Every structure is written in C-alpha cells, then in structure tokens.
C-alpha cells in the first residue's frame, strides 16, 4: 500500500502508550491499534487532527506516501 502510517514512530518519540493516547483523543484502543499497524482503510480528519494535537506533530509526520515499487525494496 502506498500510504505508510508512522504513528508508532511518533508515539515512541513522544513516549506515549497506545492506551494513554486513545484515552486522550477519545478513540478505542482497538481502533487506534488498527490505525497504528497500518491496517486502516481510512482516517477521519477529526481523528488525525486530535492525534496531531496530542502528539504535537504534523499530519506528514504520521502519514507518508511511497511509490508501490519503492515499497518492495525496503
């Protein structure tokens, strides 16, 4: 998939757990886990905004576009 989710990286940089973040942004830990592992098919802008606000980051810090053929080389 050409969209890479780097939420786990940002969470590690901010030293915040999945349960702690989910509580602060009012999303279930299960749904946040789906997003964190890159298995989500979509994300609401309101959710992305809440994550960015809590982690003090930009959407580009969490979401990354990568060409299909580049993904196979990593």
């Amino acid at each position: 998939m050409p969209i890479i989710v780097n939420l786990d990286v940002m969470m590690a940089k901010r030293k915040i757990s999945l349960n702690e973040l989910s509580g602060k942004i009012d999303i279930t830990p299960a749904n946040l886990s789906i997003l964190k592992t890159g298995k989500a098919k979509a994300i609401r802008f309101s959710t992305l905004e809440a994550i960015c606000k809590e982690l003090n980051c930009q959407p580009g810090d969490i979401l990354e576009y990568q060409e299909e053929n580049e993904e196979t080389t990593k």
Side-chain angles (χ1 to χ4, degrees):
M1 181 176 199
I3 301 295
I4 308 300
V5 180
N6 294 315
L7 180 57
D8 55 343
V9 174
M10 287 307 299
M11 288 173 59
K13 284 182 180 179
R14 302 297 190 254
K15 296 182 174 129
I16 188 168
S17 71
L18 185 119
N19 286 330
E20 186 179 355
L21 181 59
S22 70
K24 289 183 176 191
I25 64 171
D26 197 29
I27 188 173
T28 65
N31 284 339
L32 189 58
S33 179
I34 289 169
L35 180 60
K36 185 179 120 176
T37 58
K39 295 179 182 176
K41 299 292 181 193
I43 183 172
R44 293 177 189 255
F45 280 137
S46 59
T47 301
L48 184 59
E49 179 183 359
I51 291 170
C52 289
K53 183 177 180 179
E54 194 58 45
L55 296 179
N56 191 27
C57 66
Q58 295 294 313
D61 296 328
I62 296 171
L63 301 175
E64 174 186 351
Y65 173 76
Q66 199 173 75
E67 293 284 338
E68 290 272 356
N69 58 0
E70 288 181 30
E71 189 175 350
T72 58
T73 60
K74 283 193 170 187

